[in-house]
Amino acid sequence: MTVLHPTAGHALDGLLHDGMTIAVGGFGLSGNPSDLIEAVRDSGVRDLTVVSNNMGVDGKGLGILLENDQVRHVLASYVGENKLFAQRFLDGDLDVEFVPQGTLAERLRAGGAGIPAFFTATGVGTPLAEGKPVQEFDGRRYVLERAVVADLALVHAYRADRYGNLVYRYTARNFNPLVAAAGRVAVVEAEQISDEPLDPDVVVTPGIYVDRLVPARDRVKDIEQRTVRPRTGGAR
């Protein structure tokens, strides 16, 4: 049963503890559960393992947990936009497991589907496969990857109903559905919450995966890199 909470802090009440694993939706700053991330920061929990495509940027997204020294271990595909993340990794101050983006998506999907591990050709013969079982199928070598099951999933959705059914908006969908399924407990912030059930034909994440729901605060949507070109032809 999905329970509606008034604020992100209330939604995370009783769920956070030191040393836990948190899977977080988002890609760059798109689809970040910003209210929930801020609530984690404000809680002061430490030694976190964070599973996410990346760690936001300096001062935004998951970057605020790094700045507050709350993260010990990271599973991610990308580092480049966060200077603090890169520097702490290079200094040996942060334990980072790099995971190819498709492999990370499949590890989360497998965790949500109850599949403990799977074989993939991605990473075979590289440092990413060191220490992992490798097996040959039909003349090709594959490496065994473990599924990800997180203690807590933090998700951002565009629309939700009170039953916890979710719809995402464009590229903000990214890792959010996978993260929602891979958490033992899933907490969702949604921009719109409807009293009426969503049309089943448009639901992406069924409410069976969602434990707690909170309205997302209205905020400016941050853009990592804004690229524009001059107007031409007298356009206004």
Side-chain angles (χ1 to χ4, degrees), residues 116-216:
F118 60 91
F119 282 99
T120 177
T122 303
V124 172
T126 75
L128 296 176
E130 291 179 0
K132 299 176 183 177
V134 175
Q135 190 165 332
E136 185 173 305
F137 296 92
D138 300 323
R140 189 175 185 185
R141 298 169 69 227
Y142 294 81
V143 61
L144 186 70
E145 294 283 358
R146 293 292 305 272
V148 171
V149 178
D151 299 311
L152 176 65
L154 303 182
V155 176
H156 181 91
Y158 179 55
R159 284 187 292 159
D161 60 27
R162 289 180 177 267
Y163 301 96
N165 300 305
L166 308 178
V167 174
Y168 306 93
R169 182 172 172 81
Y170 302 126
T171 56
R173 173 171 172 170
N174 52 63
F175 278 83
N176 278 295
L178 300 171
V179 164
R184 293 187 177 92
V185 177
V187 182
V188 178
E189 61 177 59
E191 296 177 39
Q192 301 175 8
I193 300 178
S194 170
D195 289 327
E196 297 298 319
L198 295 176
D199 181 349
D201 287 337
V202 303
V203 169
V204 177
T205 297
I208 190 67
Y209 290 111
V210 177
D211 298 282
R212 300 184 182 185
L213 182 65
V214 61

Side-chain angles (χ1 to χ4, degrees), residues 231-236:
R231 296 178 182 265
T232 58
R236 294 288 187 267

Side-chain angles (χ1 to χ4, degrees), residues 211-230:
D211 298 282
R212 300 184 182 185
L213 182 65
V214 61
R217 292 192 296 115
D218 187 25
R219 63 171 72 213
V220 174
K221 295 185 184 298
D222 294 309
I223 298 174
E224 289 171 85
Q225 298 182 20
R226 188 185 299 272
T227 303
V228 298
R229 63 183 179 184

